[in-house]
Amino acid sequence: MNNRFRNILLVALVIGQFVISRNYHSWRLNIDLLYLIIFYIAIKSGFISSVLSAAFIGLCSDYLSGGVLGAFSFSRTLAAFFLNAMARFLDLKKNVFIFLLIFVSLFLSNLVAFVFHVLIFNLKITTSLLFYQPLTTAIVGTIILGLKKVKSLLDVS
């Protein structure tokens, strides 16, 4: 039952991200559901599998964003390394730590990717990628990961 629920949750997050990326301009919604998959894998899995899956999911994010191929892949790999290291020291039973871990790690990941975009495209600093996306993703991630069923999948309940 747990494997089935986990697979349904992961597929729902992927489908949700594709729907959001297709209709982002009309919805004005900026949530990175693929990052929640990276968060789950980095918390649950070992170092190598979390870094490799983050690199692959980052390439998917690069493709969906239409930006520089490899910027999000590199930044998400760094975030997976950070998450994998920090998850051992935090109590994930408390939703505050889940929120802070998602927010800080996504902020740092987006900051690294944004530096690449500034250097290549000469973009101006925006709060959308650096503040609103980490905030909304952390809120949605805390709601999803705060459920008892999901916490049982993470082995923190």
Side-chain angles (χ1 to χ4, degrees):
M1 181 66 176
N2 281 343
N3 288 335
R4 193 163 148 211
F5 181 75
R6 181 187 68 219
N7 292 338
I8 290 171
L9 179 65
L10 294 178
V11 167
L13 288 174
V14 170
I15 291 172
Q17 185 63 47
F18 281 114
V19 168
I20 288 172
S21 66
R22 284 187 59 127
N23 300 317
Y24 167 69
H25 298 293
S26 62
W27 289 358
R28 299 286 182 220
L29 188 63
N30 198 4
I31 298 174
D32 193 356
L33 297 176
L34 292 178
Y35 190 78
L36 295 179
I37 296 172
I38 294 171
F39 180 83
Y40 175 79
I41 293 171
I43 297 300
K44 188 73 176 156
S45 300
F47 173 74
I48 297 295
S49 60
S50 64
V51 169
L52 289 177
S53 62
F56 175 72
I57 292 171
L59 281 175
C60 293
S61 296
D62 286 328
Y63 177 74
L64 290 175
S65 69
V68 178
L69 196 61
F72 280 109
S73 179
F74 177 69
S75 68
R76 297 305 194 242
T77 303
L78 289 176
F81 174 75
F82 172 76
L83 286 170
N84 196 296
M86 291 302 295
R88 292 181 247 161
F89 302 110
L90 295 176
D91 182 18
L92 294 178
K93 293 178 186 173
K94 298 180 181 180
N95 289 338
V96 173
F97 291 125
I98 292 174
F99 175 82
L100 288 175
L101 194 58
I102 293 172
F103 180 76
V104 170
S105 63
L106 185 57
F107 173 78
L108 293 175
S109 174
N110 284 351
L111 183 65
V112 169
F114 191 70
V115 166
F116 286 121
H117 284 97
V118 166
L119 291 174
I120 294 170
F121 294 125
N122 212 10
L123 296 176
K124 294 182 180 178
I125 295 176
T126 62
T127 58
S128 176
L129 186 66
L130 295 179
F131 181 72
Y132 294 129
Q133 185 183 27
L135 182 65
T136 56
T137 304
I139 290 170
V140 170
T142 304
I143 292 169
I144 292 172
L145 296 173
L147 300 172
K148 287 186 179 187
K149 183 70 174 177
V150 177
K151 282 193 178 187
S152 71
L153 290 174
L154 290 174
D155 294 329
V156 295
S157 59

